[in-house]
Amino acid sequence: FNSAISACEKVGEWQKALQLCADMAWSKVESNVVTFSAAISACEKGREWEKAMQLFSSMLQTKLELDTITFNAAISACEKGGSWDKALQLRSAMSESMVDHDEVTFGAAISACATCGEWEKALQLLNEMKQSKTELGTVPLNAAISACGKASEWENALHLFSAMVQCELEPNRITYSAAINSCTRDGEWEAALQLLSLMLLTRLELDEITFSAAISACERGG
């Protein structure tokens, strides 16, 4: 059953994954951590965050020990569903349960905050990530830059961009797009063009969205 559920998870077939879980229960086959993690992840990929949370609640009622993978799947599901408060509750529950956090944990929680424009929460999580000595990665930093950009906090977004370079992390196209977008909202055209120039020097492939964002920054800046 676990192999079949994992196969469904890989292609986002959440309905089939849940049916297999039901078949397991009917056949009196005991579910384990792998079962729940795969099913929750399938719901996450299918953007069915409420179904994922129902599975997570069901798992809590068992005597199974929750691990990082299970929590990460549930937090990622909340991120996809734009439920940043649930994502933060789960991350807090991880700490209370003494379950290790990793880059995926923080990346998903910060992304959930970014989706809803909760930039202060995103920066708080990033700070907690540093304090926990979890290795900083491109994904959580990109998410934090995006959160700042959506809230017109362009200075904070550029500060994070600089911090990424100082940490010897290589900004990617998502990084540049998020940073340029943050400048666009406040018409900071000079900063937007500087970022665009840097992006050209790195030989990253520019897309229409990035160019449009830079042009919008110039238009808004007069």
Side-chain angles (χ1 to χ4, degrees):
F1 277 105
N2 283 350
S3 296
I5 294 170
S6 294
C8 293
E9 176 261 324
K10 287 180 173 61
V11 293
E13 291 284 351
W14 65 273
Q15 290 170 311
K16 288 182 180 178
L18 294 187
Q19 183 57 56
L20 285 166
C21 287
D23 291 345
M24 281 185 75
W26 186 83
S27 302
K28 295 183 180 180
V29 177
E30 192 173 345
S31 298
N32 57 24
V33 174
V34 175
T35 312
F36 280 103
S37 295
I40 290 169
S41 188
C43 291
E44 176 257 318
K45 285 183 171 62
R47 297 184 178 275
E48 293 288 334
W49 75 274
E50 290 176 321
K51 296 286 186 187
M53 290 307 297
Q54 286 173 12
L55 283 166
F56 188 82
S57 296
S58 296
M59 190 175 179
L60 289 175
Q61 293 171 12
T62 69
K63 293 182 179 180
L64 293 172
E65 185 175 346
L66 281 72
D67 61 11
T68 304
I69 294 171
T70 310
F71 270 108
N72 285 352
I75 292 171
S76 294
C78 292
E79 175 223 330
K80 296 289 193 304
S83 183
W84 66 271
D85 51 342
K86 290 286 186 185
L88 296 192
Q89 285 174 20
L90 286 168
R91 200 204 63 79
S92 295
M94 283 184 80
S95 297
E96 292 170 6
S97 302
M98 303 293 287
V99 177
D100 290 335
H101 300 60
D102 60 14
E103 184 186 341
V104 176
T105 310
F106 283 103
I110 293 171
S111 292
C113 293
T115 302
C116 301
E118 294 288 335
W119 68 275
E120 290 174 309
K121 295 288 186 185
L123 293 186
Q124 183 182 330
L125 283 168
L126 198 63
N127 188 50
E128 289 177 17
M129 187 177 183
K130 293 175 185 175
Q131 291 176 352
S132 68
K133 296 182 180 179
T134 303
E135 186 177 355
L136 277 173
T138 306
V139 172
L141 281 166
N142 282 353
I145 291 170
S146 178
C148 291
K150 289 177 181 177
S152 297
E153 290 289 329
W154 67 274
E155 289 176 310
N156 278 316
L158 296 190
H159 175 74
L160 290 171
F161 181 90
S162 298
M164 180 182 285
V165 175
Q166 288 171 7
C167 291
E168 297 184 351
L169 289 170
E170 190 172 343
N172 55 26
R173 189 168 64 180
I174 295 171
T175 315
Y176 280 102
S177 294
I180 291 170
N181 274 323
S182 72
C183 297
T184 299
R185 293 175 184 272
D186 284 335
E188 293 294 330
W189 63 274
E190 290 178 317
L193 291 183
Q194 285 176 5
L195 287 166
L196 195 64
S197 298
L198 281 173
M199 192 174 180
L200 288 168
L201 289 172
T202 61
R203 296 183 179 180
L204 284 171
E205 184 180 352
L206 275 72
D207 55 16
E208 186 178 342
I209 296 172
T210 308
F211 267 120
S212 297
I215 292 168
S216 295
C218 293
E219 289 174 346
R220 293 188 183 188

